[in-house]
Amino acid sequence: AQTVTQSQPEMSVQEAETVTLSCTYDTSESDYYLFWYKQPPSRQMILVIRQEAYKQQNATENRFSVNFQKAAKSFSLKISDSQLGDAAMYFCASSKIQGAQKLVFGQGTRLTINP
Amino acid sequence: DTGVSQDPRHKITKRGQNVTFRCDPISEHNRLYWYRQTLGQGPEFLTYFQNEAQLEKSRLLSDRFSAERPKGSFSTLEIQRTEQGDSAMYLCASSLARGAIVNTEAFFGQGTRLTVV
């Protein structure tokens, strides 16, 4: 079974600053995917970044990057140069590589951007 | 194709009534997922289709819930004899997996907000 834990219910950051959202997970799979999804107030979930567990290199997507620590089962998201449009709920998720690839989500972190 | 669409966006129903939600996935996507999201929580997996076959169901999916995906296109989720505990956002997602092509990105719809009164 897979579990995902986000221990920060809320975070806030000043516009243009950097913020890091934490996530830990547990899985018995040897290969798996990890994701960060963003859910703005309109409620549609959007993929922010994806990491394959077999890759050692941390994924990056423009201002978004992850710190993947496989041994520690930690997967944090760093948002650089925060923008007002980054305000949303952020969910960490994992899935198996084979089979259904259903997503297991954490509880979410609400990110507020202060102008 | 503008993405995954769900209908209705909001539904208010009286306890004991039946409700049905519809999801239209991205047209070429053969995998379709239903999730339930209660307030302040992350989505929880309910069920999954590959084409028209329902391949997995969560224990969360009681016998009052049924999902179909006829012809492997749109999907419906029906809840019979609704209870107040069924109040939640019901999210649909789709992805593509065909042969060697496995797209790990699941695209979500905007969800159907169900309120049982």
Side-chain angles (χ1 to χ4, degrees):
Chain A
Q2 296 178 310
T3 60
V4 176
T5 302
Q6 294 177 250
S7 58
Q8 303 158 314
E10 296 184 357
M11 293 281 287
S12 63
V13 64
Q14 290 295 124
E15 192 176 2
E17 297 295 308
T18 296
V19 64
T20 299
L21 308 184
S22 301
C23 172
T24 58
Y25 64 92
D26 196 11
T27 181
S28 56
E29 303 291 321
S30 56
D31 280 327
Y32 47 91
Y33 294 114
L34 295 167
F35 307 85
W36 278 97
Y37 275 88
K38 171 185 178 181
Q39 191 175 41
S42 67
R43 308 291 287 189
Q44 187 165 23
M45 201 85 70
I46 303 165
L47 178 66
V48 174
I49 199 165
R50 163 180 54 209
Q51 174 81 42
E52 292 88 349
Y54 56 86
K55 290 186 177 179
Q56 291 186 331
Q57 187 172 6
N58 288 325
T60 63
E61 286 288 342
N62 301 314
R63 298 182 294 107
F64 299 88
S65 62
V66 298
N67 183 3
F68 174 45
Q69 302 290 326
K70 191 171 185 179
K73 294 184 177 178
S74 169
F75 184 63
S76 61
L77 174 70
K78 185 172 80 172
I79 306 174
S80 303
D81 186 25
S82 299
Q83 300 175 0
L84 294 177
D86 295 333
M89 284 291 290
Y90 285 81
F91 291 97
C92 180
S94 69
S95 79
K96 298 178 181 180
I97 288 182
Q98 301 295 329
Q101 294 183 326
K102 62 188 181 187
L103 293 161
V104 176
F105 287 90
Q107 304 92 321
T109 297
R110 181 175 301 281
L111 178 64
T112 302
I113 312 295
N114 299 314
Chain B
D1 190 21
T2 56
V4 179
S5 62
Q6 293 188 244
D7 183 70
R9 292 288 308 280
H10 299 93
K11 177 72 176 179
I12 300 174
T13 190
K14 292 183 178 179
R15 190 175 53 185
Q17 298 294 304
N18 299 343
V19 294
T20 300
F21 311 140
R22 177 179 171 124
C23 171
D24 286 273
I26 293 172
S27 59
E28 66 268 25
H29 285 185
N30 56 349
R31 289 186 170 180
L32 187 147
Y33 306 80
W34 285 98
Y35 291 85
R36 181 171 69 187
Q37 184 178 21
T38 53
L39 202 61
Q41 299 295 317
E44 296 174 292
F45 170 79
L46 292 179
T47 190
Y48 147 69
F49 291 84
Q50 174 132 341
N51 300 311
E52 66 276 8
Q54 187 174 19
L55 297 185
E56 189 169 340
K57 292 193 291 186
S58 163
R59 284 173 292 179
L60 293 174
L61 213 64
S62 75
D63 56 6
R64 297 185 297 105
F65 288 70
S66 62
E68 295 183 342
R69 194 185 182 196
K71 303 179 183 178
S73 55
F74 71 92
S75 176
T76 58
L77 178 67
E78 181 184 16
I79 308 174
Q80 295 182 327
R81 305 181 304 280
T82 52
E83 301 172 356
Q84 286 187 321
D86 297 331
S87 296
M89 177 75 81
Y90 290 84
L91 298 172
C92 177
S94 70
S95 67
L96 173 67
R98 183 169 293 136
I101 302 172
V102 179
N103 188 337
T104 57
E105 180 173 359
F107 291 82
F108 282 81
Q110 290 188 293
T112 295
R113 164 76 66 192
L114 173 66
T115 302
V116 181
V117 297

